Amino acid sequence: ARAFVQFFGSSARESPDYGKMADGASVARLRALLDEPHGGRVVCGGETDERARYVSPTLVVDPSPSSQLMRQELLGPVLIVCTVPTVAQG
């Protein structure tokens, strides 16, 4: 979360360096994936605004491998981090 603030300032929404989504439908698609019961934890972000075509930089930790969040191509500012028991299994 600190890295987001360092790069975009206190508000990614207001930053000239942070782009918008292509359209409201793209925002709605990401919102649906984040809202589904994916079993992970949203560490930061997750805010959306379809009218403004905005999705905040979002970090999700350990969603279920079978969730749509893991199975779909996200095409947006969502980073997923998965814990693995060993490097060999990663």
Side-chain angles (χ1 to χ4, degrees):
R2 280 183 289 208
F4 291 143
V5 172
Q6 285 177 329
F7 190 79
F8 296 115
S10 61
S11 173
R13 183 187 292 256
E14 307 296 322
S15 174
D17 297 317
Y18 192 74
K20 296 183 183 293
M21 298 292 290
D23 52 41
S26 299
V27 175
R29 182 179 167 283
L30 274 180
R31 174 82 267 149
L33 290 170
L34 290 169
D35 285 346
E36 76 154 347
H38 51 71
R41 184 169 51 99
V42 176
V43 174
C44 68
E47 295 86 24
T48 61
D49 181 341
E50 281 184 56
R51 264 182 84 205
R53 301 184 342 238
Y54 173 77
V55 177
S56 65
T58 303
L59 177 64
V60 181
V61 176
D62 290 328
S64 169
S66 62
S67 69
Q68 290 300 308
L69 191 63
M70 288 291 288
R71 299 177 58 143
Q72 297 292 319
E73 190 171 12
L74 297 177
L75 301 173
V78 178
L79 177 65
I80 297 183
V81 177
C82 296
T83 304
V84 294
T86 67
V87 174
Q89 292 179 342

